[in-house]
Structures are given as C-alpha cells and as structure tokens.
Amino acid sequence: MAEKQVPGWMKTALEFGPVLGFFVAFFLLKGESYVLFGHEVKTFTYITFWFVIAMVICMGALWALTGSLSRMQVMTLVLVVFMGGLTVVLDNDLFLKLKPTILYALFAGILAIGLARGQSYLARLMEGLLPMSHEGWMILTRRFAIFFAVLAVANAVIAFSLSSGVWVTVKTFGLPAALFVFMMAQYPLIEKYGTEKSE
C-alpha cells in the first residue's frame, strides 16, 4: 500500500512539534514541582509525561494521514515511550539528564556488536532509504558508532558542567544539529558506495 501524501509542513510539524513543545515548556514552567496522578513530581518529569503523550498523538496522526510509519519513526516512538515512562516512574533529574547518554551509548554498542559480526544493523534499519553496497554500509555504520559514542560523552559533560537551561537547549537543538551536520558530511561516502535498486 502506497504512502498517502500529506503537506510537507504538516509532516514536519507532527514529527518535530513535540520536541519544540518540550523546549518551550521547560522555559515557561517555573514551578519547582507539579501534580501528576495525585503526586508531586519534578518539572522535568511533568514536561516529559506530556511530551510522551504528544509524541504518541502526533505519530498516530501521522500514521492515520500517511497510512504508514518508517522503521525509524516506530523505533523513535518506542524509545520515547519506554524512556519517558521510566523518567515519570523514577522522577529523577539525574536519570533525565543521563537518558541521552544511555541511549547514545546503547546505539553505539549495538552498532559495534553488529560490526564485530560483520553486519550493519544500520542498513537493516534504513533499508530502502539509502541503497548502498555492503562495504559502504559497514563504513557508515562504523562512523555512526563512533559518532554516537562521542555524543554520549558530550551529553554527560554538558549535563553536569553547565546549567539545566543550557543542557535543554543543546539537547533540543545542538544534538540534532550535530546529527544533521554529521549526515551531510557522509554524502561523499553515500555517493561513492551508492547502488541503484533493482526492480
């Protein structure tokens, strides 16, 4: 079943709206704690709860409008619900700040395991998006593993050496920007090892 076409601005709003909302909410909500399910929770936890709800609603709307979700979108949603759920249950600022480090380290570890087995798990995840030879995927996967490891360390350093406001700003805009720049830098590799999909 072919994917239904929706306006680009609507798709972008559904994909990135919750993230922007999280950033805005952090700077608007000034209280020390908020009530959630009859219990007082920290501001980070309160915002994270509504961020998860917003992500589920937006991904559900995107699925309803397009008729499908990519593997990347499904994986992102699962991780947001799982890690967001842990954040709400634990209600701990330390866990919230370490969450990106845990995820990036996990990604780096999973990709490294695949590389050790001579496989590219990245290729499986992005199958159909970037037609490349096995050699190209192995190189790209190796670079991603290193990149995620660097992000894991960078998040920890920023989270514990700078203010919460700076950390939220970097997490919301800086890390995605770093990922974008990294992907752009991989264009020569993708072009060199790209293959045409056979019909």
Side-chain angles (χ1 to χ4, degrees):
M1 180 175 166
E3 180 178 326
K4 303 172 188 175
Q5 296 299 312
V6 297
W9 66 266
M10 184 180 297
K11 187 174 182 180
T12 299
L14 290 173
E15 289 180 333
F16 298 102
V19 177
L20 182 59
F22 180 94
F23 175 78
V24 173
F26 174 80
F27 287 99
L28 289 181
L29 298 181
K30 302 296 184 181
E32 292 295 325
S33 63
Y34 291 85
V35 177
L36 193 62
F37 302 120
H39 300 283
E40 283 195 1
V41 296
K42 294 179 174 61
T43 304
F44 273 142
T45 303
Y46 185 75
I47 296 173
T48 298
F49 172 77
W50 290 110
F51 168 69
V52 172
I53 297 299
M55 277 292 293
V56 171
I57 293 174
C58 287
M59 287 300 102
L62 191 60
W63 175 78
L65 290 169
T66 64
S68 66
L69 291 176
S70 68
R71 291 182 181 179
M72 186 73 74
Q73 290 169 329
V74 172
M75 186 187 76
T76 299
L77 181 60
V78 170
L79 287 174
V80 165
V81 172
F82 177 70
M83 298 301 286
L86 283 179
T87 300
V88 173
V89 170
L90 296 176
D91 189 25
N92 186 286
D93 286 348
L94 175 63
F95 175 75
L96 182 65
K97 288 187 175 183
L98 281 179
K99 191 166 56 175
T101 290
I102 295 171
L103 287 175
Y104 291 137
L106 181 62
F107 292 157
I110 291 174
L111 293 181
I113 291 173
L115 289 169
R117 300 178 61 187
Q119 301 176 8
S120 170
Y121 294 154
L122 191 63
R124 294 183 183 182
L125 181 64
M126 302 178 69
E127 184 179 5
L129 295 178
L130 293 174
M132 283 200 301
S133 65
H134 176 71
E135 182 182 1
W137 274 117
M138 292 298 284
I139 295 173
L140 184 61
T141 301
R142 190 176 302 111
R143 292 181 181 180
F144 257 104
I146 296 172
F147 177 67
F148 282 134
V150 170
L151 286 186
V153 175
N155 177 75
V157 171
I158 294 171
F160 295 107
S161 62
L162 300 175
S163 68
S164 294
V166 172
W167 172 75
V168 169
T169 302
V170 172
K171 175 180 176 291
T172 306
F173 299 108
L175 296 182
L179 179 60
F180 175 78
V181 172
F182 173 80
M183 282 300 299
M184 292 299 99
Q186 307 314 306
Y187 180 75
L189 173 71
I190 297 172
E191 188 176 49
K192 178 179 180 179
Y193 292 96
T195 60
E196 294 291 332
K197 291 187 291 185
S198 58
E199 298 292 337

